[in-house]
């Protein structure tokens, strides 16, 4: 099997902007995006010997970055949905020295008010979606709501990734403006 050469000295010039834009659209935090891209380059350096040349350098780096993003979300969501349990020391006279377990309210427990609010939010989102041009609305739904990956959308709609991101950016900008007027 031939040894495939990659040149990490060119990664920053060739791929950093693309990887950053890819990341910022998924985590919506500039500093975190920079850290994840940096972690991707470090992981790429550490695993250069595993590069087989079956994909381009950029595709290989994106696959590393995707794993970094997934790891990030796994880490921050690992305790999601678990109610916190605290112990407090009871110091009143009758029960002196007893430890009491206190349950903190579950933030994922929906009450009627939050259900109504979520329905209203959903209505506002779909109302704003209806105001988008058809192609923008379709792409926004596919990418943001249905979570379909970029390559699938591009193949299905016969557009380039660059075109997709321009359309997504325009749709998000329009949606944000519309939501500000109709929801906030």
């Amino acid at each position: 099997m031939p040894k495939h050469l990659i040149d990490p000295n060119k990664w920053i010039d060739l791929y950093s902007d693309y990887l950053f834009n890819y990341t910022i659209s998924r985590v919506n935090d500039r500093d975190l995006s920079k850290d994840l891209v940096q972690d991707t380059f470090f992981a790429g350096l550490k695993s250069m010997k595993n590069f087989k040349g079956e994909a381009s350098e950029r595709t290989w780096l994106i696959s590393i970055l995707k794993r970094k993003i997934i790891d990030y979300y796994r880490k921050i969501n690992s305790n999601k949905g678990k109610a916190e349990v605290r112990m407090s020391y009871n110091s009143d006279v009758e029960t002196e020295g007893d430890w009491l377990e206190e349950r903190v309210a579950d933030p994922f427990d929906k009450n009627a008010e939050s259900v109504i609010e979520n329905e209203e939010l959903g209505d506002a989102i779909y109302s704003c979606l209806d105001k988008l041009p058809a192609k923008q609305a379709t792409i926004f739904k596919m990418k943001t709501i249905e979570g379909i990956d970029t390559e699938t959308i591009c193949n299905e709609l016969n557009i380039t990734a660059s075109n997709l991101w321009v359309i997504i950016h325009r749709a998000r900008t329009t949606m944000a403006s519309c939501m500000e007027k109709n929801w906030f």
Side-chain angles (χ1 to χ4, degrees), residues 100-116:
L100 299 177
E101 182 180 284
E102 300 173 354
R103 278 236 173 244
V104 175
D106 183 356
F108 300 101
D109 184 26
K110 293 185 176 180
N111 58 30
E113 186 178 322
S114 67
V115 170
I116 291 170

Side-chain angles (χ1 to χ4, degrees), residues 125-141 167-176 178:
I125 289 170
Y126 281 102
S127 174
C128 289
L129 267 173
D130 289 341
K131 296 174 184 170
L132 290 176
K135 190 172 188 176
Q136 277 186 15
T138 299
I139 291 173
F140 183 85
K141 285 178 199 172
I167 292 169
I168 287 288
H169 173 72
R170 289 178 181 164
R172 286 178 178 160
T173 303
T174 304
M175 288 290 293
C178 180

Side-chain angles (χ1 to χ4, degrees), residues 74 77-85 103-108:
R74 280 186 184 145
N77 291 319
S78 64
N79 293 323
K80 203 174 221 181
K82 297 178 184 172
E84 180 183 342
V85 176
R103 278 236 173 244
V104 175
D106 183 356
F108 300 101

Side-chain angles (χ1 to χ4, degrees), residues 1 4 50-57 59-60:
M1 179 184 263
H4 297 284
N50 299 330
F51 181 73
K52 297 176 184 167
E54 295 171 356
S56 69
E57 269 184 331
T59 302
W60 179 66

